[in-house]
């Protein structure tokens, strides 16, 4: 039985997310897998790649053949170089951790209470623009009156 390490597609339309799986070469792309050894999310910036290095090394050691896309991912993570005994590549970029939503809310609330609030409700940009347009003609009306002679 020929075993391949390949990508199994998940996700929605125009938002692919893949699992790196070990499967029989005769199975469908998204068919039954022997084992899942990693994740790949190409739409994130930078792309999210997570591979269980120990399991990948085991399957490569027993003869599983990676497909071309998986081979590129293994080279990016350094698992392929480790398996072949070559020098490790430069480290991958890692995304910065996202800020905690609760902390952002607390900071905004504290800022609003300290000095940012004037006692009025927050206005949307459209409402603020309408208020400015309503104020402008009133200010210009006295300047347009004809001078008495």
């Amino acid at each position: 039985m020929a075993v391949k390490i390949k990508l199994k597609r998940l996700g929605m339309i125009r938002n692919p997310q893949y699992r790196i799986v070990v499967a029989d070469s005769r199975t469908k792309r998204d068919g039954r897998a022997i084992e899942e050894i990693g994740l790949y999310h190409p739409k994130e910036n930078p792309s999210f790649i997570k591979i269980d290095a120990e399991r990948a090394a085991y399957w490569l050691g027993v003869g599983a053949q990676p497909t071309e896309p998986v081979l590129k991912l293994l080279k990016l993570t350094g698992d392929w170089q480790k398996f072949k005994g070559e020098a490790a590549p430069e480290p991958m970029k890692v995304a910065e951790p996202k800020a905690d939503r609760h902390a952002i809310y607390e900071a905004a609330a504290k800022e609003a209470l300290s000095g940012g609030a004037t006692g009025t409700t927050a206005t949307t940009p459209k409402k603020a623009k309408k208020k400015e347009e309503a104020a402008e003609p009133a200010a210009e009306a006295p300047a347009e009156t004809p001078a008495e002679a």
Side-chain angles (χ1 to χ4, degrees):
M1 174 169 85
V3 178
K4 287 207 176 248
I5 303 174
K6 55 187 182 178
L7 295 176
K8 179 178 183 178
R9 190 183 195 283
L10 301 170
M12 298 177 291
I13 296 173
R14 290 182 285 285
N15 186 21
Q17 296 182 355
Y18 298 96
R19 291 196 180 151
I20 301 167
V21 297
V22 178
D24 184 4
S25 63
R26 298 170 289 187
T27 61
K28 299 177 186 177
R29 176 189 71 175
D30 301 335
R32 190 181 62 158
I34 298 170
E35 182 180 359
E36 293 178 4
I37 61 170
L39 301 170
Y40 173 50
H41 300 226
K43 288 287 190 168
E44 293 182 14
N45 190 13
S47 296
F48 177 74
I49 303 170
K50 178 183 173 187
I51 298 176
D52 185 0
E54 186 177 306
R55 296 307 298 164
Y58 167 77
W59 283 107
L60 290 170
V62 296
Q65 295 297 310
T67 59
E68 287 183 23
V70 173
L71 182 61
K72 288 180 182 179
L73 293 175
L74 290 173
K75 285 182 179 179
L76 281 174
T77 60
D79 294 325
W80 184 254
Q81 288 87 340
K82 191 184 294 184
F83 172 68
K84 289 292 186 177
E86 299 171 359
E90 59 189 47
M92 294 190 317
K93 288 194 295 185
V94 179
E96 296 177 11
K98 294 182 180 179
D100 182 28
R101 296 171 111 188
H102 184 68
I104 293 171
Y105 174 77
E106 291 294 329
K110 199 178 277 188
E111 179 183 324
L113 291 175
S114 65
T118 58
T120 62
T121 59
T123 59
T124 62
K126 288 182 181 179
K127 289 182 181 177
K129 189 174 183 181
K130 286 181 183 178
K131 286 182 182 179
E132 290 175 9
E133 289 174 358
E136 286 178 13
E140 293 177 7
E144 293 179 11
T145 57
E148 294 179 25

